[in-house]
Amino acid sequence: MPLPPFVNDPHPLLPTIDRTYKAEEINAFGKDRGPAFYETCHLYAQSLWQIGFPAKCILLLNRALSSPMPGTEPLFQRLPLPYQAMAWLLIHRPADQFIGNPRRHWQHLATRMVEPNKELRAWRAWACWYLAKEILPEADFPADLEQLREEGVVEPTQGDIADHLQDLSPADDLAQWQAALAWADEQTGQGRRPPLQVRVRRIAEDELPVVQRLGREIWRQYYPGIISNEQIEYMLSVWYQPDAMAREMRSRGTWFALIEVAAHGPVGYLSFERYPEGVLFINKLYVQAAMHGHGVGAAALRWTQERAVELGCQSVQLRVNKRNVTAIRAYQRAGFRFAEDVCSDIGSGFVMDDYRMEKRL
């Protein structure tokens, strides 16, 4: 059968084809997931890529990853596990061709996997999800927050995925996945973000102007698109005046702290108070955008939880805007779980539409 007109140049990490591949050729393998199945998945994926179906190409590479072949399989020398092929496709996705939302696709695939080889295939899907998370802009390819909330799904860390690939893989998943991550970082110019030396320090009233300055900077950079500019300015004017914060310290025993990074100085701040029922409630926790991904927020949360234990609290709670997906994921990774929806009137026609999240200590 002649090839249809090509839309895309060949995918450089998939095998060359000389004809059109069809679904029937994959279906003919039945339950067989051996070398011939694995190779045919790659050939069919190339066919789909070249005729302009990148989303379907991803589905075929997923099917290749359903093969439990051992690392001794000679075919892997010619066709390694397709993590880098996935990364190449995500980076070179054509703007005019349907790719769906790979990040959400792999989230669903990982959490709804069925047998055979369920656990291995689920963690291979999480590995692909992580590639999508690192490569694709979150604004265009968001997570399925509703599933995260309703099903209690916690997105895994890079370390979680590495540990499971190491334990479950019969092949060289971990090495291939890490190589794909490094390659993608080089291609996109992102690079791995190293952890920084973080100090969290309780402050007195005389340093509250530093909190005010950081609050104005962080909110005006971070919150547009989550809440309106008018609400941003209103909340800054009400909650970030030094005299208002000082009254919180005096009347409610609120702690304020600066989050500092070596060679950078103050890069964020937090505040919390202890409720009589043994709850430490975090009112504020914000870090400059340039510090995201360096473990700064996680270090501040650990410090806060240590203070909660010292103060005899049984849990830590906070509120987070329902549209603040980045923060919600960070809190989930830190062990916080959804407790309830809370919508509060804060005056001047504005509301806070939040999730209350809690971590038991």
Side-chain angles (χ1 to χ4, degrees):
M1 179 182 298
L3 284 166
F6 287 153
V7 176
N8 299 324
D9 291 335
H11 189 310
L13 300 177
L14 295 177
T16 302
I17 56 172
D18 58 4
R19 64 178 181 83
T20 303
Y21 283 77
K22 298 294 184 181
E24 293 79 9
E25 298 177 74
I26 291 292
N27 297 336
F29 286 98
K31 296 182 179 180
D32 178 5
R33 294 295 180 267
F37 169 84
Y38 180 85
E39 183 169 19
T40 303
C41 286
H42 283 73
L43 292 164
Y44 188 17
Q46 177 73 280
S47 180
L48 290 166
W49 166 259
Q50 288 194 244
I51 62 175
F53 294 107
K56 291 183 179 181
C57 178
I58 288 174
L59 296 179
L60 265 294
L61 294 179
N62 285 343
R63 296 196 71 179
L65 287 171
S66 71
S67 176
M69 293 187 299
T72 54
E73 171 53 52
L75 181 62
F76 283 144
Q77 298 300 313
R78 182 162 53 87
L79 287 179
L81 292 165
Y83 293 114
Q84 190 168 329
M86 293 283 202
W88 186 96
L89 189 153
L90 296 177
I91 292 172
H92 295 278
R93 61 194 185 278
D96 60 344
Q97 295 172 19
F98 178 74
I99 196 173
N101 183 339
R103 178 178 182 152
R104 185 173 294 203
H105 161 71
W106 278 309
Q107 176 186 323
H108 291 170
L109 186 63
T111 54
R112 297 167 181 170
M113 192 66 71
V114 297
E115 297 294 354
N117 308 307
K118 174 181 176 179
E119 195 170 8
L120 170 63
R121 292 166 59 212
W123 283 100
R124 283 175 167 175
W126 277 126
C128 294
W129 164 87
Y130 196 89
L131 286 168
K133 181 182 76 71
E134 292 293 287
I135 294 170
L136 300 175
E138 185 169 9
D140 298 328
F141 300 93
D144 183 348
L145 183 58
E146 184 176 349
Q147 187 205 16
L148 298 181
R149 178 178 180 270
E150 293 185 356
E151 300 179 20
V153 174
V154 178
E155 295 178 339
T157 64
Q158 183 180 355
D160 293 332
I161 297 169
D163 289 344
H164 282 88
L165 292 181
Q166 181 68 42
D167 292 343
L168 296 167
S169 173
D172 59 347
D173 278 79
L174 180 57
Q176 293 293 333
W177 178 63
Q178 290 177 332
L181 279 173
W183 178 85
D185 285 342
E186 181 180 343
Q187 295 297 307
T188 59
Q190 295 184 60
R192 298 283 100 196
R193 294 183 173 184
L196 299 173
Q197 184 178 343
V198 180
R199 180 177 74 155
V200 183
R201 177 174 59 85
R202 187 182 184 183
I203 61 172
E205 292 182 20
D206 63 322
E207 291 191 89
L208 289 174
V210 181
V211 175
Q212 181 187 44
R213 174 181 62 80
L214 286 167
R216 289 173 173 171
E217 172 192 339
I218 294 169
W219 277 57
R220 288 167 178 163
Q221 289 180 346
Y222 186 79
Y223 272 107
I226 297 177
I227 58 177
S228 68
N229 289 333
E230 292 77 12
Q231 183 164 341
I232 291 170
E233 296 305 319
Y234 172 75
M235 294 173 77
L236 287 173
S237 70
V238 171
W239 293 344
Y240 279 86
Q241 298 303 320
D243 57 346
M245 292 185 281
R247 283 195 297 273
E248 290 183 45
M249 297 173 77
R250 298 172 199 152
S251 63
R252 306 202 316 246
T254 301
W255 288 41
F256 280 83
L258 289 175
I259 305 166
E260 299 173 329
V261 168
H264 292 272
V267 299
Y269 57 93
L270 62 85
S271 73
F272 64 78
E273 58 190 289
R274 187 190 190 283
Y275 290 172
E277 57 268 29
V279 173
L280 185 143
F281 195 89
I282 300 175
N283 296 313
K284 300 177 176 67
L285 201 170
Y286 296 98
V287 174
Q288 290 172 337
M291 295 292 116
H292 291 181
H294 291 284
V296 177
L301 276 175
R302 287 194 296 272
W303 182 87
T304 305
Q305 291 166 37
E306 290 167 2
R307 305 292 80 74
V309 172
E310 292 174 357
L311 294 169
C313 297
Q314 287 75 54
S315 69
V316 178
Q317 296 182 9
L318 53 84
R319 287 176 60 167
V320 58
N321 187 284
K322 290 178 180 177
R323 300 177 64 187
N324 193 350
V325 178
T326 302
I328 290 169
R329 286 204 314 272
Y331 294 138
Q332 283 191 299
R333 287 196 296 269
F336 285 79
R337 298 295 177 261
F338 294 102
E340 64 175 339
D341 294 12
V342 184
C343 189
S344 303
D345 185 338
I346 58 173
S348 295
F350 299 116
V351 298
M352 290 172 52
D353 190 14
D354 296 340
Y355 296 125
R356 182 171 64 84
M357 301 184 73
E358 179 177 36
K359 180 176 182 178
R360 304 293 299 178
L361 299 178

